[in-house]
Amino acid sequence: MEDPSGWSLTESDPQVFTQLLKDLGVKGLQVDDLYSLDESTLSTLKPIHALIFLFKYVESSAGGAEESSGIEVDPLDNGVWFANQVINNSCGTVAALNAVMNIPSQSSQYSEESIQLGEELGNLREFGTGMESLDLGHLVSSSPHIREVHNSFSKSSPFSMDSSAFPEREKEDAYHFIAYLPINGILYELDGLRKNPIMHAPIEGEDWLNTARETVESRIGTYPPGSLMFNLLAIRSTPLPRLTRLLNDPSTPSEQKFQIQDQLEHESNKDKRGQMENTLRRNNLLPVVFQLFKALGESGQAGKAVEVARAKGEERREKRAAKGEGDD
Amino acid sequence: MASQISIAAGRSQRREGSKFVDALPEKGTLELRSEDGEYTHFTWKNRVTGQVEDELLVFPGEATFEKVDQDPSGRTHILKFSSSDQKYFFWIQKSDQQVIIRAQVDIDNLIRDPTYRIGSAPLPVPSTPQRPAQERSWPPTPGAPRLSHPEPAPRNAASASTPSAPPVAGSSNDGVMDVEQIPAQESAGGSGQDQMARLLAEWARGGGIAPADDDARLTDVLSPIQMSTLLTTHPSLIPTITPLLPSGLDLPPNPSAQDLLPILSAPQFTDAIASLDNALRSGGLPGNMMRELGLPDNAGQSVKGFLEGLIGLKKDDQPEGGDERMDED
């Protein structure tokens, strides 16, 4: 909220993206962390409709490795919805929109399992038909609702979060978010800071993820080891309705039900945890923090706690000094 | 005619790789002598051994001698060369602010102009101490010295020896950190010097020229482990905390510590604590916010002030220290 652009930073947390999509009216999709591109990892998350690759350079010298394999193509000629990122900090939302705007709607006989863009984004897409990417970028960033949803996740710490005050904290604005997904049988890379979408390769065989895996892995491989921090998110079909249906379906073989039960429990715990964290993100937590500090003081435990924290801080400072860095 | 200045002063050392300046305890003398009006001979002599340990030739316009504003005692000064990045720190071993200011003005003028006549330059006009209302200091200017004493420093301390002298600018420069206002002493020397050196060293440890704050981070003070201890030893806290939590958290009607701890140790909570730490460290929070917590106004001005305020909240009056008994309330 404190950024002059009026857009706060997006946390690279899948639950934030899930809620973001939900609040924008998208149905049937959720976002999860992807810890590996192995077939076994991917299979538990399928169907997957898009990947969001977020990364930052650890060393600026790695910037030279920025060589993309694909070719830039005109989005309008190729039927790709592509918005440029025109506002600071909005890259997470822009990447999510670039992805979901290109995920085809799917209607299912089970209504909860349908994938729909929803009214708001549907209108936005219609309104933006034929627009250049730069104009789409401005269209997105001037939508009060999108901005409001985007910003709603950073209420828990109402003080200005000047990331420069956290030297060893990850500066999330240094992250960059890029979407990878298949559109009309071709793998695209949608990077809001590029002028155009990047066309990578035609999808061969059944699974677009095989093509995407090669592309993403070779991209990661272009950076020297240790110079890149990255995270992968998968935009996938929401599993809860499907798993619940399968569990209750008498035709599901009972030996499969145990596995489904496990998955369901895992997904629903994750969902609860995510909702709890999103609730915390969307509320001012300082009254609780103050109350806890006050109670700590009154309990007489503050002295000891401060002592322990000072020892920790001193250790940290000495370590920094040993590395020859300034203290300020 | 050669001009000469001599004043008791110790050296201060800039710590390698940092902006910290540590006052060294040795007693010494700064001596300046202009040579034929062409340059100034600038030396620092150890008063105990009598050895000249620093010797510099300063040509006109080559250097300045200025007070280091970040030092609340007003004693630390810097000899800075404009032609190179050489810097020398000294702390004047006198307690009278008038004497210190006179010395600074004379030394600065002499090294700029070796024909300068000692004592001829006017002392700086003391500025009216500017004390913005507590609330007006928010939002603060980053790095601006924070006022830890709400009322003006007593003037008589500095001007007592020379009653006719105007109030001294230096005396308004109190409290960047937590160093107490230095009590004026009758004369230089004696045990006061050692205490002074200790205070300066303390000040430097607290950050010196770089505006720094407590080593402790609030996220470590209110760590998940600490919260767990607090809630289990003081279960009566739970009903006061619960209503402050956002609704929609799906808590049971009478939550236990076990129900609350996963929430309180969630990363969003840690971030909220870190943002409070950041706000205190970068200039402070309004005093009325602190008053609501039962803390003194100045607790909002640094992490250190905040933590010390918290320690002061302890309900029984036993001195804090090795005593690890918990009070029952």
Side-chain angles (χ1 to χ4, degrees), chain A residues 157 161 165 168 281 283 290 293 295 297 299 301 303 310 316-317 326 328, chain B residues 17 19 214-215 217 220 233-234 237 246 268 272 275 278 310 314 320 327:
Chain A
S157 317
M161 291 291 274
E168 65 254 68
R281 284 186 182 97
N283 285 278
F290 276 139
F293 272 119
S299 73
Q301 292 173 23
R310 278 190 182 144
R316 215 166 12 224
R317 186 155 53 79
D328 48 338
Chain B
K19 289 182 179 168
D214 209 290
D215 273 341
R217 285 196 194 154
D220 290 333
T233 54
H234 296 74
L237 252 179
Q268 292 72 32
S275 92
N278 187 22
L310 287 183
K314 190 177 179 183
E320 188 76 34
D327 58 343

PDB file of all heavy atoms in Angstrom, chain A residues 157 161 165 168 281 283 290 293 295 297 299 301 303 310 316-317 326 328, chain B residues 17 19 214-215 217 220 233-234 237 246 268 272 275 278 310 314 320 327:
ATOM      1  N   SER A 157       0.506  -5.977   8.415  1.00  0.00           N
ATOM      2  CA  SER A 157       1.570  -5.122   8.922  1.00  0.00           C
ATOM      3  C   SER A 157       1.368  -3.730   8.361  1.00  0.00           C
ATOM      4  O   SER A 157       1.889  -3.406   7.314  1.00  0.00           O
ATOM      5  CB  SER A 157       2.927  -5.644   8.480  1.00  0.00           C
ATOM      6  OG  SER A 157       2.983  -7.031   8.619  1.00  0.00           O
ATOM      7  N   MET A 161       6.398  -1.141   4.813  1.00  0.00           N
ATOM      8  CA  MET A 161       7.444  -2.155   4.813  1.00  0.00           C
ATOM      9  C   MET A 161       8.509  -1.743   3.825  1.00  0.00           C
ATOM     10  O   MET A 161       8.421  -2.045   2.638  1.00  0.00           O
ATOM     11  CB  MET A 161       6.856  -3.513   4.407  1.00  0.00           C
ATOM     12  CG  MET A 161       5.931  -4.082   5.446  1.00  0.00           C
ATOM     13  SD  MET A 161       6.801  -4.588   6.917  1.00  0.00           S
ATOM     14  CE  MET A 161       7.269  -6.244   6.433  1.00  0.00           C
ATOM     15  N   ALA A 165      15.023  -2.064   4.718  1.00  0.00           N
ATOM     16  CA  ALA A 165      15.304  -2.165   6.141  1.00  0.00           C
ATOM     17  C   ALA A 165      15.531  -3.613   6.564  1.00  0.00           C
ATOM     18  O   ALA A 165      15.859  -3.877   7.701  1.00  0.00           O
ATOM     19  CB  ALA A 165      14.147  -1.567   6.948  1.00  0.00           C
ATOM     20  N   GLU A 168      18.707  -8.863   5.193  1.00  0.00           N
ATOM     21  CA  GLU A 168      18.871 -10.268   4.854  1.00  0.00           C
ATOM     22  C   GLU A 168      17.547 -10.943   4.561  1.00  0.00           C
ATOM     23  O   GLU A 168      17.454 -12.128   4.408  1.00  0.00           O
ATOM     24  CB  GLU A 168      19.677 -11.015   5.929  1.00  0.00           C
ATOM     25  CG  GLU A 168      19.029 -11.106   7.269  1.00  0.00           C
ATOM     26  CD  GLU A 168      19.703 -10.172   8.263  1.00  0.00           C
ATOM     27  OE1 GLU A 168      19.617  -8.949   8.139  1.00  0.00           O
ATOM     28  OE2 GLU A 168      20.309 -10.708   9.169  1.00  0.00           O
ATOM     29  N   ARG A 281      -3.351 -12.393   6.774  1.00  0.00           N
ATOM     30  CA  ARG A 281      -2.816 -11.395   5.839  1.00  0.00           C
ATOM     31  C   ARG A 281      -3.756 -10.212   5.657  1.00  0.00           C
ATOM     32  O   ARG A 281      -3.327  -9.116   5.365  1.00  0.00           O
ATOM     33  CB  ARG A 281      -2.618 -12.027   4.456  1.00  0.00           C
ATOM     34  CG  ARG A 281      -1.417 -12.914   4.352  1.00  0.00           C
ATOM     35  CD  ARG A 281      -1.211 -13.374   2.914  1.00  0.00           C
ATOM     36  NE  ARG A 281      -0.070 -14.264   2.868  1.00  0.00           N
ATOM     37  CZ  ARG A 281      -0.168 -15.591   2.881  1.00  0.00           C
ATOM     38  NH1 ARG A 281      -1.342 -16.180   2.879  1.00  0.00           N
ATOM     39  NH2 ARG A 281       0.922 -16.326   2.887  1.00  0.00           N
ATOM     40  N   ASN A 283      -5.849  -8.865   7.811  1.00  0.00           N
ATOM     41  CA  ASN A 283      -6.242  -8.123   8.998  1.00  0.00           C
ATOM     42  C   ASN A 283      -5.037  -7.482   9.668  1.00  0.00           C
ATOM     43  O   ASN A 283      -3.917  -7.998   9.577  1.00  0.00           O
ATOM     44  CB  ASN A 283      -6.931  -9.054   9.992  1.00  0.00           C
ATOM     45  CG  ASN A 283      -8.338  -9.389   9.546  1.00  0.00           C
ATOM     46  OD1 ASN A 283      -9.276  -8.631   9.765  1.00  0.00           O
ATOM     47  ND2 ASN A 283      -8.482 -10.529   8.871  1.00  0.00           N
ATOM     48  N   PHE A 290       0.713  -6.030  20.090  1.00  0.00           N
ATOM     49  CA  PHE A 290       0.913  -5.121  21.226  1.00  0.00           C
ATOM     50  C   PHE A 290       0.471  -5.776  22.529  1.00  0.00           C
ATOM     51  O   PHE A 290       1.152  -5.683  23.548  1.00  0.00           O
ATOM     52  CB  PHE A 290       0.123  -3.820  21.008  1.00  0.00           C
ATOM     53  CG  PHE A 290       0.860  -2.814  20.163  1.00  0.00           C
ATOM     54  CD1 PHE A 290       0.196  -2.070  19.196  1.00  0.00           C
ATOM     55  CD2 PHE A 290       2.215  -2.604  20.342  1.00  0.00           C
ATOM     56  CE1 PHE A 290       0.878  -1.135  18.423  1.00  0.00           C
ATOM     57  CE2 PHE A 290       2.899  -1.672  19.577  1.00  0.00           C
ATOM     58  CZ  PHE A 290       2.225  -0.941  18.613  1.00  0.00           C
ATOM     59  N   PHE A 293       3.066  -8.225  23.646  1.00  0.00           N
ATOM     60  CA  PHE A 293       4.249  -7.561  24.204  1.00  0.00           C
ATOM     61  C   PHE A 293       3.959  -7.025  25.600  1.00  0.00           C
ATOM     62  O   PHE A 293       4.773  -7.146  26.519  1.00  0.00           O
ATOM     63  CB  PHE A 293       4.719  -6.426  23.297  1.00  0.00           C
ATOM     64  CG  PHE A 293       5.685  -6.875  22.237  1.00  0.00           C
ATOM     65  CD1 PHE A 293       5.388  -6.732  20.899  1.00  0.00           C
ATOM     66  CD2 PHE A 293       6.901  -7.444  22.586  1.00  0.00           C
ATOM     67  CE1 PHE A 293       6.276  -7.150  19.920  1.00  0.00           C
ATOM     68  CE2 PHE A 293       7.800  -7.869  21.611  1.00  0.00           C
ATOM     69  CZ  PHE A 293       7.479  -7.722  20.285  1.00  0.00           C
ATOM     70  N   ALA A 295       1.753  -8.123  27.705  1.00  0.00           N
ATOM     71  CA  ALA A 295       1.660  -9.250  28.633  1.00  0.00           C
ATOM     72  C   ALA A 295       3.043  -9.796  28.965  1.00  0.00           C
ATOM     73  O   ALA A 295       3.325 -10.172  30.100  1.00  0.00           O
ATOM     74  CB  ALA A 295       0.792 -10.352  28.026  1.00  0.00           C
ATOM     75  N   GLY A 297       5.746  -8.082  29.097  1.00  0.00           N
ATOM     76  CA  GLY A 297       6.339  -7.160  30.060  1.00  0.00           C
ATOM     77  C   GLY A 297       5.775  -7.375  31.446  1.00  0.00           C
ATOM     78  O   GLY A 297       6.519  -7.494  32.427  1.00  0.00           O
ATOM     79  N   SER A 299       4.399  -9.953  32.716  1.00  0.00           N
ATOM     80  CA  SER A 299       4.679 -11.265  33.295  1.00  0.00           C
ATOM     81  C   SER A 299       6.059 -11.318  33.934  1.00  0.00           C
ATOM     82  O   SER A 299       6.385 -12.257  34.635  1.00  0.00           O
ATOM     83  CB  SER A 299       4.606 -12.329  32.202  1.00  0.00           C
ATOM     84  OG  SER A 299       5.742 -12.213  31.371  1.00  0.00           O
ATOM     85  N   GLN A 301       8.649 -11.727  32.204  1.00  0.00           N
ATOM     86  CA  GLN A 301       9.500 -12.585  31.358  1.00  0.00           C
ATOM     87  C   GLN A 301      10.245 -11.781  30.291  1.00  0.00           C
ATOM     88  O   GLN A 301      11.043 -12.340  29.539  1.00  0.00           O
ATOM     89  CB  GLN A 301       8.640 -13.661  30.685  1.00  0.00           C
ATOM     90  CG  GLN A 301       8.090 -14.675  31.669  1.00  0.00           C
ATOM     91  CD  GLN A 301       7.088 -15.642  31.016  1.00  0.00           C
ATOM     92  OE1 GLN A 301       7.102 -15.843  29.808  1.00  0.00           O
ATOM     93  NE2 GLN A 301       6.226 -16.228  31.816  1.00  0.00           N
ATOM     94  N   GLY A 303      12.558  -9.441  30.526  1.00  0.00           N
ATOM     95  CA  GLY A 303      13.997  -9.274  30.725  1.00  0.00           C
ATOM     96  C   GLY A 303      14.787 -10.418  30.131  1.00  0.00           C
ATOM     97  O   GLY A 303      15.735 -10.227  29.380  1.00  0.00           O
ATOM     98  N   ARG A 310      19.007 -10.323  22.460  1.00  0.00           N
ATOM     99  CA  ARG A 310      20.218  -9.500  22.268  1.00  0.00           C
ATOM    100  C   ARG A 310      21.405 -10.382  21.941  1.00  0.00           C
ATOM    101  O   ARG A 310      22.226 -10.038  21.094  1.00  0.00           O
ATOM    102  CB  ARG A 310      20.505  -8.681  23.515  1.00  0.00           C
ATOM    103  CG  ARG A 310      19.664  -7.425  23.548  1.00  0.00           C
ATOM    104  CD  ARG A 310      20.072  -6.464  24.639  1.00  0.00           C
ATOM    105  NE  ARG A 310      19.143  -5.327  24.585  1.00  0.00           N
ATOM    106  CZ  ARG A 310      18.703  -4.671  25.644  1.00  0.00           C
ATOM    107  NH1 ARG A 310      19.116  -5.008  26.854  1.00  0.00           N
ATOM    108  NH2 ARG A 310      17.867  -3.673  25.502  1.00  0.00           N
ATOM    109  N   ARG A 316      24.603 -12.287  15.366  1.00  0.00           N
ATOM    110  CA  ARG A 316      24.337 -11.976  13.969  1.00  0.00           C
ATOM    111  C   ARG A 316      25.251 -10.857  13.489  1.00  0.00           C
ATOM    112  O   ARG A 316      25.813 -10.888  12.414  1.00  0.00           O
ATOM    113  CB  ARG A 316      22.878 -11.520  13.865  1.00  0.00           C
ATOM    114  CG  ARG A 316      22.193 -11.932  12.625  1.00  0.00           C
ATOM    115  CD  ARG A 316      20.681 -11.770  12.696  1.00  0.00           C
ATOM    116  NE  ARG A 316      20.193 -11.012  13.801  1.00  0.00           N
ATOM    117  CZ  ARG A 316      19.140 -11.364  14.544  1.00  0.00           C
ATOM    118  NH1 ARG A 316      18.507 -12.467  14.287  1.00  0.00           N
ATOM    119  NH2 ARG A 316      18.740 -10.614  15.534  1.00  0.00           N
ATOM    120  N   ARG A 317      25.386  -9.842  14.384  1.00  0.00           N
ATOM    121  CA  ARG A 317      26.216  -8.698  14.018  1.00  0.00           C
ATOM    122  C   ARG A 317      27.665  -9.113  13.850  1.00  0.00           C
ATOM    123  O   ARG A 317      28.355  -8.696  12.924  1.00  0.00           O
ATOM    124  CB  ARG A 317      26.081  -7.628  15.094  1.00  0.00           C
ATOM    125  CG  ARG A 317      26.759  -6.343  14.785  1.00  0.00           C
ATOM    126  CD  ARG A 317      26.126  -5.170  15.523  1.00  0.00           C
ATOM    127  NE  ARG A 317      26.015  -5.383  16.962  1.00  0.00           N
ATOM    128  CZ  ARG A 317      27.019  -5.243  17.808  1.00  0.00           C
ATOM    129  NH1 ARG A 317      28.190  -4.884  17.364  1.00  0.00           N
ATOM    130  NH2 ARG A 317      26.844  -5.451  19.099  1.00  0.00           N
ATOM    131  N   GLY A 326      29.284  -3.906   6.325  1.00  0.00           N
ATOM    132  CA  GLY A 326      28.963  -2.808   7.231  1.00  0.00           C
ATOM    133  C   GLY A 326      27.805  -3.187   8.118  1.00  0.00           C
ATOM    134  O   GLY A 326      27.036  -4.096   7.828  1.00  0.00           O
ATOM    135  N   ASP A 328      25.467  -1.015   9.056  1.00  0.00           N
ATOM    136  CA  ASP A 328      24.318  -0.119   8.935  1.00  0.00           C
ATOM    137  C   ASP A 328      23.329  -0.589   7.914  1.00  0.00           C
ATOM    138  O   ASP A 328      23.563  -1.433   7.123  1.00  0.00           O
ATOM    139  CB  ASP A 328      24.776   1.309   8.588  1.00  0.00           C
ATOM    140  CG  ASP A 328      25.762   1.341   7.458  1.00  0.00           C
ATOM    141  OD1 ASP A 328      26.414   0.309   7.219  1.00  0.00           O
ATOM    142  OD2 ASP A 328      25.904   2.376   6.806  1.00  0.00           O
TER     143      ASP A 328
ATOM    144  N   GLY B  17      35.550  -1.418   8.572  1.00  0.00           N
ATOM    145  CA  GLY B  17      34.377  -1.916   7.851  1.00  0.00           C
ATOM    146  C   GLY B  17      33.044  -1.457   8.403  1.00  0.00           C
ATOM    147  O   GLY B  17      32.012  -2.023   8.086  1.00  0.00           O
ATOM    148  N   LYS B  19      30.702   2.040  10.417  1.00  0.00           N
ATOM    149  CA  LYS B  19      30.677   3.454  10.706  1.00  0.00           C
ATOM    150  C   LYS B  19      30.805   3.709  12.195  1.00  0.00           C
ATOM    151  O   LYS B  19      30.644   4.826  12.649  1.00  0.00           O
ATOM    152  CB  LYS B  19      29.378   4.062  10.163  1.00  0.00           C
ATOM    153  CG  LYS B  19      29.371   4.112   8.664  1.00  0.00           C
ATOM    154  CD  LYS B  19      28.114   4.761   8.169  1.00  0.00           C
ATOM    155  CE  LYS B  19      28.125   4.823   6.645  1.00  0.00           C
ATOM    156  NZ  LYS B  19      26.815   5.196   6.143  1.00  0.00           N
ATOM    157  N   ASP B 214      18.930  -1.237  19.117  1.00  0.00           N
ATOM    158  CA  ASP B 214      19.173  -2.425  19.914  1.00  0.00           C
ATOM    159  C   ASP B 214      19.539  -3.616  19.028  1.00  0.00           C
ATOM    160  O   ASP B 214      19.026  -3.761  17.922  1.00  0.00           O
ATOM    161  CB  ASP B 214      17.902  -2.758  20.688  1.00  0.00           C
ATOM    162  CG  ASP B 214      18.206  -3.466  21.980  1.00  0.00           C
ATOM    163  OD1 ASP B 214      18.630  -4.639  21.934  1.00  0.00           O
ATOM    164  OD2 ASP B 214      18.036  -2.839  23.028  1.00  0.00           O
ATOM    165  N   ASP B 215      20.422  -4.456  19.564  1.00  0.00           N
ATOM    166  CA  ASP B 215      20.764  -5.681  18.847  1.00  0.00           C
ATOM    167  C   ASP B 215      19.577  -6.635  18.763  1.00  0.00           C
ATOM    168  O   ASP B 215      19.474  -7.427  17.838  1.00  0.00           O
ATOM    169  CB  ASP B 215      21.901  -6.405  19.575  1.00  0.00           C
ATOM    170  CG  ASP B 215      23.261  -5.917  19.122  1.00  0.00           C
ATOM    171  OD1 ASP B 215      23.332  -5.315  18.040  1.00  0.00           O
ATOM    172  OD2 ASP B 215      24.244  -6.146  19.847  1.00  0.00           O
ATOM    173  N   ARG B 217      16.087  -8.186  18.138  1.00  0.00           N
ATOM    174  CA  ARG B 217      14.976  -7.973  17.220  1.00  0.00           C
ATOM    175  C   ARG B 217      13.694  -8.378  17.913  1.00  0.00           C
ATOM    176  O   ARG B 217      13.659  -9.370  18.629  1.00  0.00           O
ATOM    177  CB  ARG B 217      15.143  -8.855  15.989  1.00  0.00           C
ATOM    178  CG  ARG B 217      16.191  -8.299  15.090  1.00  0.00           C
ATOM    179  CD  ARG B 217      16.088  -8.913  13.716  1.00  0.00           C
ATOM    180  NE  ARG B 217      17.312  -8.593  13.009  1.00  0.00           N
ATOM    181  CZ  ARG B 217      17.804  -9.320  12.040  1.00  0.00           C
ATOM    182  NH1 ARG B 217      17.170 -10.399  11.646  1.00  0.00           N
ATOM    183  NH2 ARG B 217      18.913  -8.973  11.447  1.00  0.00           N
ATOM    184  N   ASP B 220      12.676 -11.878  17.718  1.00  0.00           N
ATOM    185  CA  ASP B 220      13.339 -12.829  18.615  1.00  0.00           C
ATOM    186  C   ASP B 220      12.819 -12.687  20.037  1.00  0.00           C
ATOM    187  O   ASP B 220      12.839 -13.647  20.809  1.00  0.00           O
ATOM    188  CB  ASP B 220      14.863 -12.610  18.609  1.00  0.00           C
ATOM    189  CG  ASP B 220      15.488 -13.038  17.293  1.00  0.00           C
ATOM    190  OD1 ASP B 220      14.906 -13.927  16.633  1.00  0.00           O
ATOM    191  OD2 ASP B 220      16.541 -12.494  16.912  1.00  0.00           O
ATOM    192  N   THR B 233       2.291 -20.323  30.849  1.00  0.00           N
ATOM    193  CA  THR B 233       2.430 -19.891  32.250  1.00  0.00           C
ATOM    194  C   THR B 233       1.347 -18.892  32.645  1.00  0.00           C
ATOM    195  O   THR B 233       1.095 -18.698  33.826  1.00  0.00           O
ATOM    196  CB  THR B 233       3.812 -19.247  32.516  1.00  0.00           C
ATOM    197  OG1 THR B 233       4.009 -18.189  31.581  1.00  0.00           O
ATOM    198  CG2 THR B 233       4.941 -20.249  32.369  1.00  0.00           C
ATOM    199  N   HIS B 234       0.761 -18.223  31.674  1.00  0.00           N
ATOM    200  CA  HIS B 234      -0.279 -17.241  31.980  1.00  0.00           C
ATOM    201  C   HIS B 234      -1.527 -17.501  31.145  1.00  0.00           C
ATOM    202  O   HIS B 234      -1.866 -16.705  30.263  1.00  0.00           O
ATOM    203  CB  HIS B 234       0.214 -15.812  31.704  1.00  0.00           C
ATOM    204  CG  HIS B 234       1.349 -15.403  32.582  1.00  0.00           C
ATOM    205  ND1 HIS B 234       2.627 -15.875  32.419  1.00  0.00           N
ATOM    206  CD2 HIS B 234       1.383 -14.575  33.649  1.00  0.00           C
ATOM    207  CE1 HIS B 234       3.412 -15.344  33.341  1.00  0.00           C
ATOM    208  NE2 HIS B 234       2.689 -14.564  34.101  1.00  0.00           N
ATOM    209  N   LEU B 237      -4.246 -15.015  29.959  1.00  0.00           N
ATOM    210  CA  LEU B 237      -4.058 -14.114  28.830  1.00  0.00           C
ATOM    211  C   LEU B 237      -4.953 -14.459  27.654  1.00  0.00           C
ATOM    212  O   LEU B 237      -5.325 -13.592  26.863  1.00  0.00           O
ATOM    213  CB  LEU B 237      -2.627 -14.294  28.331  1.00  0.00           C
ATOM    214  CG  LEU B 237      -1.608 -13.231  28.564  1.00  0.00           C
ATOM    215  CD1 LEU B 237      -0.295 -13.699  27.972  1.00  0.00           C
ATOM    216  CD2 LEU B 237      -2.068 -11.961  27.862  1.00  0.00           C
ATOM    217  N   PRO B 246      -8.442 -11.729  14.273  1.00  0.00           N
ATOM    218  CA  PRO B 246      -9.447 -11.530  13.231  1.00  0.00           C
ATOM    219  C   PRO B 246     -10.539 -12.591  13.319  1.00  0.00           C
ATOM    220  O   PRO B 246     -10.268 -13.724  13.722  1.00  0.00           O
ATOM    221  CB  PRO B 246      -8.664 -11.687  11.934  1.00  0.00           C
ATOM    222  CG  PRO B 246      -7.243 -11.836  12.275  1.00  0.00           C
ATOM    223  CD  PRO B 246      -7.094 -11.939  13.746  1.00  0.00           C
ATOM    224  N   GLN B 268       2.730 -14.701   8.996  1.00  0.00           N
ATOM    225  CA  GLN B 268       2.117 -13.368   8.913  1.00  0.00           C
ATOM    226  C   GLN B 268       2.265 -12.635  10.244  1.00  0.00           C
ATOM    227  O   GLN B 268       2.414 -11.417  10.281  1.00  0.00           O
ATOM    228  CB  GLN B 268       0.633 -13.485   8.552  1.00  0.00           C
ATOM    229  CG  GLN B 268       0.374 -13.987   7.139  1.00  0.00           C
ATOM    230  CD  GLN B 268       0.692 -15.456   6.971  1.00  0.00           C
ATOM    231  OE1 GLN B 268       0.549 -16.251   7.889  1.00  0.00           O
ATOM    232  NE2 GLN B 268       1.151 -15.827   5.787  1.00  0.00           N
ATOM    233  N   ALA B 272       4.233  -9.168  11.018  1.00  0.00           N
ATOM    234  CA  ALA B 272       3.657  -8.016  11.719  1.00  0.00           C
ATOM    235  C   ALA B 272       4.610  -7.535  12.812  1.00  0.00           C
ATOM    236  O   ALA B 272       4.795  -6.330  13.006  1.00  0.00           O
ATOM    237  CB  ALA B 272       2.295  -8.386  12.304  1.00  0.00           C
ATOM    238  N   SER B 275       7.432  -5.725  11.251  1.00  0.00           N
ATOM    239  CA  SER B 275       7.099  -4.381  10.775  1.00  0.00           C
ATOM    240  C   SER B 275       7.076  -3.392  11.942  1.00  0.00           C
ATOM    241  O   SER B 275       7.420  -2.224  11.778  1.00  0.00           O
ATOM    242  CB  SER B 275       5.783  -4.384   9.999  1.00  0.00           C
ATOM    243  OG  SER B 275       4.688  -4.104  10.833  1.00  0.00           O
ATOM    244  N   ASN B 278      10.660  -2.647  12.557  1.00  0.00           N
ATOM    245  CA  ASN B 278      11.117  -1.735  11.520  1.00  0.00           C
ATOM    246  C   ASN B 278      10.661  -0.297  11.788  1.00  0.00           C
ATOM    247  O   ASN B 278      11.431   0.651  11.666  1.00  0.00           O
ATOM    248  CB  ASN B 278      10.572  -2.236  10.180  1.00  0.00           C
ATOM    249  CG  ASN B 278      11.117  -1.469   9.011  1.00  0.00           C
ATOM    250  OD1 ASN B 278      12.175  -0.854   9.107  1.00  0.00           O
ATOM    251  ND2 ASN B 278      10.399  -1.483   7.910  1.00  0.00           N
ATOM    252  N   LEU B 310       9.044  -2.245  28.145  1.00  0.00           N
ATOM    253  CA  LEU B 310       8.375  -3.524  28.442  1.00  0.00           C
ATOM    254  C   LEU B 310       8.894  -4.124  29.740  1.00  0.00           C
ATOM    255  O   LEU B 310       8.128  -4.588  30.580  1.00  0.00           O
ATOM    256  CB  LEU B 310       8.635  -4.534  27.328  1.00  0.00           C
ATOM    257  CG  LEU B 310       7.933  -4.349  26.002  1.00  0.00           C
ATOM    258  CD1 LEU B 310       8.275  -5.509  25.083  1.00  0.00           C
ATOM    259  CD2 LEU B 310       6.432  -4.265  26.187  1.00  0.00           C
ATOM    260  N   LYS B 314       6.931  -4.901  34.369  1.00  0.00           N
ATOM    261  CA  LYS B 314       6.890  -6.004  35.319  1.00  0.00           C
ATOM    262  C   LYS B 314       6.114  -5.594  36.564  1.00  0.00           C
ATOM    263  O   LYS B 314       6.342  -4.543  37.135  1.00  0.00           O
ATOM    264  CB  LYS B 314       8.325  -6.359  35.705  1.00  0.00           C
ATOM    265  CG  LYS B 314       8.423  -7.626  36.499  1.00  0.00           C
ATOM    266  CD  LYS B 314       9.880  -7.942  36.764  1.00  0.00           C
ATOM    267  CE  LYS B 314       9.976  -9.201  37.580  1.00  0.00           C
ATOM    268  NZ  LYS B 314      11.343  -9.540  37.930  1.00  0.00           N
ATOM    269  N   GLU B 320      14.928  -6.387  38.153  1.00  0.00           N
ATOM    270  CA  GLU B 320      15.168  -7.351  37.080  1.00  0.00           C
ATOM    271  C   GLU B 320      16.607  -7.814  37.198  1.00  0.00           C
ATOM    272  O   GLU B 320      17.478  -7.102  37.650  1.00  0.00           O
ATOM    273  CB  GLU B 320      14.960  -6.637  35.740  1.00  0.00           C
ATOM    274  CG  GLU B 320      14.985  -7.521  34.538  1.00  0.00           C
ATOM    275  CD  GLU B 320      13.693  -8.311  34.395  1.00  0.00           C
ATOM    276  OE1 GLU B 320      12.627  -7.779  34.747  1.00  0.00           O
ATOM    277  OE2 GLU B 320      13.783  -9.453  33.944  1.00  0.00           O
ATOM    278  N   ASP B 327       6.286 -14.180  38.474  1.00  0.00           N
ATOM    279  CA  ASP B 327       5.294 -13.697  39.422  1.00  0.00           C
ATOM    280  C   ASP B 327       3.948 -14.310  39.066  1.00  0.00           C
ATOM    281  O   ASP B 327       3.686 -14.695  37.937  1.00  0.00           O
ATOM    282  CB  ASP B 327       5.220 -12.165  39.393  1.00  0.00           C
ATOM    283  CG  ASP B 327       4.880 -11.653  38.031  1.00  0.00           C
ATOM    284  OD1 ASP B 327       5.031 -12.435  37.056  1.00  0.00           O
ATOM    285  OD2 ASP B 327       4.473 -10.510  37.906  1.00  0.00           O
TER     286      ASP B 327
END
